mmCIF file of all heavy atoms in Angstrom:
data_model
loop_
_atom_site.group_PDB
_atom_site.id
_atom_site.type_symbol
_atom_site.label_atom_id
_atom_site.label_comp_id
_atom_site.label_asym_id
_atom_site.label_seq_id
_atom_site.Cartn_x
_atom_site.Cartn_y
_atom_site.Cartn_z
ATOM 1 N N ASN A 67 97.291 111.820 118.127
ATOM 2 C CA ASN A 67 95.851 112.004 118.022
ATOM 3 C C ASN A 67 95.212 110.909 117.182
ATOM 4 O O ASN A 67 94.105 110.445 117.499
ATOM 5 C CB ASN A 67 95.528 113.376 117.438
ATOM 6 C CG ASN A 67 95.820 114.502 118.414
ATOM 7 O OD1 ASN A 67 95.899 114.292 119.620
ATOM 8 N ND2 ASN A 67 95.995 115.702 117.886
ATOM 9 N N GLY A 68 95.854 110.512 116.111
ATOM 10 C CA GLY A 68 95.333 109.439 115.256
ATOM 11 C C GLY A 68 95.281 108.132 116.013
ATOM 12 O O GLY A 68 94.283 107.381 115.911
ATOM 13 N N LEU A 69 96.308 107.852 116.771
ATOM 14 C CA LEU A 69 96.342 106.636 117.587
ATOM 15 C C LEU A 69 95.214 106.621 118.613
ATOM 16 O O LEU A 69 94.497 105.654 118.762
ATOM 17 C CB LEU A 69 97.705 106.505 118.275
ATOM 18 C CG LEU A 69 97.827 105.419 119.344
ATOM 19 C CD1 LEU A 69 97.715 104.038 118.742
ATOM 20 C CD2 LEU A 69 99.150 105.578 120.088
ATOM 21 N N VAL A 70 95.071 107.732 119.337
ATOM 22 C CA VAL A 70 94.044 107.836 120.369
ATOM 23 C C VAL A 70 92.640 107.721 119.752
ATOM 24 O O VAL A 70 91.776 107.036 120.310
ATOM 25 C CB VAL A 70 94.180 109.145 121.173
ATOM 26 C CG1 VAL A 70 93.002 109.377 122.089
ATOM 27 C CG2 VAL A 70 95.484 109.111 121.969
ATOM 28 N N ALA A 71 92.419 108.329 118.601
ATOM 29 C CA ALA A 71 91.113 108.218 117.912
ATOM 30 C C ALA A 71 90.794 106.772 117.577
ATOM 31 O O ALA A 71 89.681 106.310 117.758
ATOM 32 C CB ALA A 71 91.097 109.082 116.682
ATOM 33 N N PHE A 72 91.806 106.038 117.095
ATOM 34 C CA PHE A 72 91.605 104.622 116.769
ATOM 35 C C PHE A 72 91.237 103.842 118.038
ATOM 36 O O PHE A 72 90.314 103.020 118.034
ATOM 37 C CB PHE A 72 92.865 104.041 116.139
ATOM 38 C CG PHE A 72 92.817 102.537 116.030
ATOM 39 C CD1 PHE A 72 92.110 101.937 115.012
ATOM 40 C CD2 PHE A 72 93.463 101.750 116.957
ATOM 41 C CE1 PHE A 72 92.070 100.539 114.901
ATOM 42 C CE2 PHE A 72 93.425 100.371 116.864
ATOM 43 C CZ PHE A 72 92.714 99.771 115.847
ATOM 44 N N LEU A 73 91.954 104.085 119.142
ATOM 45 C CA LEU A 73 91.682 103.382 120.384
ATOM 46 C C LEU A 73 90.288 103.689 120.914
ATOM 47 O O LEU A 73 89.575 102.832 121.391
ATOM 48 C CB LEU A 73 92.734 103.690 121.434
ATOM 49 C CG LEU A 73 94.134 103.156 121.142
ATOM 50 C CD1 LEU A 73 95.136 103.707 122.139
ATOM 51 C CD2 LEU A 73 94.126 101.640 121.126
ATOM 52 N N GLU A 74 89.874 104.968 120.763
ATOM 53 C CA GLU A 74 88.519 105.330 121.208
ATOM 54 C C GLU A 74 87.463 104.604 120.394
ATOM 55 O O GLU A 74 86.465 104.132 120.929
ATOM 56 C CB GLU A 74 88.341 106.843 121.133
ATOM 57 C CG GLU A 74 89.097 107.595 122.202
ATOM 58 C CD GLU A 74 89.035 109.096 122.059
ATOM 59 O OE1 GLU A 74 88.742 109.601 120.937
ATOM 60 O OE2 GLU A 74 89.288 109.778 123.068
ATOM 61 N N ARG A 75 87.657 104.501 119.068
ATOM 62 C CA ARG A 75 86.719 103.762 118.224
ATOM 63 C C ARG A 75 86.680 102.295 118.645
ATOM 64 O O ARG A 75 85.617 101.678 118.683
ATOM 65 C CB ARG A 75 87.088 103.893 116.753
ATOM 66 C CG ARG A 75 86.767 105.229 116.168
ATOM 67 C CD ARG A 75 86.899 105.237 114.631
ATOM 68 N NE ARG A 75 88.194 104.798 114.176
ATOM 69 C CZ ARG A 75 89.265 105.574 114.009
ATOM 70 N NH1 ARG A 75 89.206 106.868 114.290
ATOM 71 N NH2 ARG A 75 90.395 105.056 113.548
ATOM 72 N N SER A 76 87.846 101.741 118.961
ATOM 73 C CA SER A 76 87.888 100.331 119.401
ATOM 74 C C SER A 76 87.110 100.149 120.710
ATOM 75 O O SER A 76 86.432 99.140 120.871
ATOM 76 C CB SER A 76 89.332 99.885 119.592
ATOM 77 O OG SER A 76 90.026 99.900 118.354
ATOM 78 N N LEU A 77 87.242 101.090 121.622
ATOM 79 C CA LEU A 77 86.501 101.017 122.866
ATOM 80 C C LEU A 77 85.008 101.155 122.620
ATOM 81 O O LEU A 77 84.192 100.477 123.275
ATOM 82 C CB LEU A 77 86.980 102.089 123.833
ATOM 83 C CG LEU A 77 88.406 101.913 124.372
ATOM 84 C CD1 LEU A 77 88.814 103.114 125.187
ATOM 85 C CD2 LEU A 77 88.526 100.630 125.162
ATOM 86 N N ASP A 78 84.616 102.010 121.687
ATOM 87 C CA ASP A 78 83.210 102.143 121.341
ATOM 88 C C ASP A 78 82.652 100.814 120.805
ATOM 89 O O ASP A 78 81.537 100.423 121.108
ATOM 90 C CB ASP A 78 82.974 103.244 120.303
ATOM 91 C CG ASP A 78 83.154 104.639 120.919
ATOM 92 O OD1 ASP A 78 83.133 104.762 122.151
ATOM 93 O OD2 ASP A 78 83.335 105.596 120.107
ATOM 94 N N GLU A 79 83.446 100.116 119.982
ATOM 95 C CA GLU A 79 83.029 98.800 119.471
ATOM 96 C C GLU A 79 82.824 97.808 120.592
ATOM 97 O O GLU A 79 81.912 97.000 120.552
ATOM 98 C CB GLU A 79 84.074 98.281 118.466
ATOM 99 C CG GLU A 79 84.144 99.040 117.199
ATOM 100 C CD GLU A 79 85.302 98.594 116.310
ATOM 101 O OE1 GLU A 79 85.919 97.545 116.606
ATOM 102 O OE2 GLU A 79 85.562 99.282 115.316
ATOM 103 N N ILE A 80 83.690 97.846 121.600
ATOM 104 C CA ILE A 80 83.554 96.951 122.738
ATOM 105 C C ILE A 80 82.275 97.291 123.483
ATOM 106 O O ILE A 80 81.492 96.382 123.821
ATOM 107 C CB ILE A 80 84.752 97.054 123.695
ATOM 108 C CG1 ILE A 80 86.022 96.522 123.022
ATOM 109 C CG2 ILE A 80 84.494 96.316 124.993
ATOM 110 C CD1 ILE A 80 87.270 96.798 123.805
ATOM 111 N N ASP A 81 81.996 98.558 123.712
ATOM 112 C CA ASP A 81 80.764 98.981 124.401
ATOM 113 C C ASP A 81 79.559 98.539 123.623
ATOM 114 O O ASP A 81 78.562 98.051 124.184
ATOM 115 C CB ASP A 81 80.747 100.492 124.599
ATOM 116 C CG ASP A 81 81.755 100.969 125.624
ATOM 117 O OD1 ASP A 81 82.235 100.133 126.417
ATOM 118 O OD2 ASP A 81 82.078 102.171 125.625
ATOM 119 N N ASP A 82 79.563 98.711 122.286
ATOM 120 C CA ASP A 82 78.448 98.307 121.441
ATOM 121 C C ASP A 82 78.211 96.806 121.497
ATOM 122 O O ASP A 82 77.079 96.371 121.591
ATOM 123 C CB ASP A 82 78.661 98.742 119.987
ATOM 124 C CG ASP A 82 78.574 100.267 119.830
ATOM 125 O OD1 ASP A 82 78.087 100.938 120.752
ATOM 126 O OD2 ASP A 82 79.034 100.764 118.777
ATOM 127 N N SER A 83 79.274 96.019 121.424
ATOM 128 C CA SER A 83 79.105 94.569 121.401
ATOM 129 C C SER A 83 78.656 94.025 122.762
ATOM 130 O O SER A 83 77.907 93.069 122.844
ATOM 131 C CB SER A 83 80.396 93.857 120.969
ATOM 132 O OG SER A 83 81.420 94.014 121.929
#
Side-chain angles (χ1 to χ4, degrees):
N67 288 339
L69 170 66
V70 170
F72 169 80
L73 292 172
E74 287 174 340
R75 285 191 306 273
S76 295
L77 292 174
D78 288 343
E79 291 173 10
I80 293 171
D81 290 343
D82 290 345
S83 67

